[in-house]
Amino acid sequence: MTLSTPTASDTPTAPGAAAGIPAERDGEGFFIHPEQWRPQMAAQIARENGISELSERHWQVLEFMRNAYLEQGGAPSIRTLGKASGVPIKELYELFPKGPAKLAAKIAGIPKPRGCI
Amino acid sequence: MTDTEQQAQADAPPRQTIEKVSIIISRGSLEGIYPGLIMANGARMEGIDADLFFTFFGLDAINRAKHEHVKVATVGNPALHLATWAGGVPGVSALVTHRLAADMERLDIPPIPEFIEMISDSGAGLYACKASVDLFGLTREDFIPQVDDIITVGEFYGLAAGGQIIFT
């Protein structure tokens, strides 16, 4: 597998391919092997999920999610995300309208959060 | 994507999704309130629109004087496997509630006031049932500030239109 640098001309016909996103994602688009993720892939995954541009605040959440996963082996709950990421819950939902924990996990290349809270 | 793959995608039935839920919370015990809150929060986490409608004793969940003092029902609750007389002993309900609260904290489940604030911040609507508010002689001031409105059952159906209604 090759990991190429993303270009501005990512073609919509081959989602992910131009950003070097590996094929090993589950049916919903979550990474199966988090170690295959590269920060350059985030923008493309975000676009696939309706987020046209990743701001600094998005990145703050993505980095918190990914670090929490790598350190604890599980994605943090939305409660922990709101308390510890530095981004309050209201803003989390503005940044990731279709579900902050799930979307941030997907974009940050970690498996789907399994918690109910 | 090849032509065959494109054809296969076009032929597949569209995946069913729930777009909106309206959850009614009608009971005032801890075990009566949490399921609705968990379902509302879980809906928002999935990007599903959610509204919460509090009726009868469910209003305690948004009553500023009562929402910190919601207890597990220890009388008439066979699932606790306590003798009926024991469930009624003063302090037993508080004790069971305390134990459960500690277990919930361990699982990162917030206490009711914090949970409701979280749900409101997630963009869900919080509504009090007008008939129950009138019945108990309550006013807007009795409720936490996150409550969006006191509405009639007709208005509730208007808000719930096009989504799923869940009664708890």
Side-chain angles (χ1 to χ4, degrees):
Chain A
M1 178 202 330
T2 55
L3 295 171
S4 62
T5 324
T7 59
S9 57
D10 289 343
T11 49
T13 46
I21 296 170
E24 286 123 305
R25 288 195 280 169
D26 69 14
E28 289 181 81
F30 290 90
F31 273 59
I32 293 166
H33 307 291
E35 66 278 6
Q36 293 175 337
W37 182 86
R38 299 289 177 275
Q40 306 91 282
M41 301 168 182
Q44 171 68 38
I45 308 170
R47 278 193 296 273
E48 288 171 17
N49 289 280
I51 296 171
S52 55
E53 215 179 329
L54 289 175
S55 67
E56 216 173 287
R57 294 296 270 173
H58 283 106
W59 273 105
Q60 192 171 334
V61 180
L62 297 180
E63 279 164 13
F64 180 86
M65 282 292 279
R66 193 163 166 90
N67 290 338
Y69 173 79
L70 295 176
E71 281 162 24
Q72 290 143 31
S77 70
I78 185 86
R79 184 194 192 196
T80 302
L81 207 52
K83 276 185 170 172
S85 71
V87 179
I89 289 184
K90 217 175 234 178
E91 192 184 346
L92 283 170
Y93 276 94
E94 285 159 14
L95 294 171
F96 303 96
K98 283 283 163 193
K102 211 174 82 168
L103 261 187
K106 198 181 277 188
I107 299 170
I110 62 173
K112 186 178 182 176
R114 298 273 307 143
C116 284
I117 309 295
Chain B
M1 196 184 284
T2 67
D3 285 353
T4 352
E5 276 168 342
Q6 255 166 5
Q7 192 52 47
Q9 207 168 59
D11 290 344
R15 207 173 130 250
Q16 293 275 312
T17 52
I18 292 176
E19 302 295 331
K20 177 164 112 179
V21 289
S22 298
I23 299 166
I24 302 166
I25 295 181
S26 68
R27 293 184 298 137
S29 58
L30 192 98
E31 72 276 20
I33 291 172
Y34 264 107
L37 299 185
I38 290 174
M39 292 192 75
N41 179 64
R44 294 300 301 128
M45 279 170 52
E46 292 296 316
I48 298 169
D49 285 340
D51 282 324
L52 274 169
F53 184 73
F54 298 88
T55 186
F56 258 83
F57 296 109
L59 285 176
D60 278 11
I62 49 171
N63 186 315
R64 66 168 87 228
K66 294 182 177 171
H67 71 157
E68 284 174 13
H69 310 289
V70 170
K71 300 260 186 310
V72 177
T74 48
V75 173
N77 186 352
L80 280 179
H81 302 282
L82 266 179
T84 298
W85 64 264
V89 170
V92 167
S93 179
L95 181 74
V96 172
T97 301
H98 184 77
R99 288 276 303 275
L100 203 60
D103 288 345
M104 285 180 157
E105 187 59 48
R106 205 165 35 75
L107 292 176
D108 212 14
I109 302 175
I112 288 173
E114 184 192 336
F115 207 2
I116 290 188
E117 198 181 324
M118 263 176 66
I119 293 168
S120 171
D121 282 349
S122 78
L126 303 185
Y127 299 96
C129 156
K130 186 172 186 306
S132 310
V133 169
D134 292 346
L135 177 67
F136 297 139
L138 299 168
T139 67
R140 189 73 186 74
E141 281 62 51
D142 292 305
F143 298 111
I144 54 171
Q146 285 84 9
V147 171
D148 291 278
D149 206 356
I150 298 169
I151 62 172
T152 65
V153 67
E155 287 165 337
F156 165 78
Y157 281 124
L159 282 172
Q164 312 278 331
I165 296 175
I166 301 167
F167 185 89
T168 68

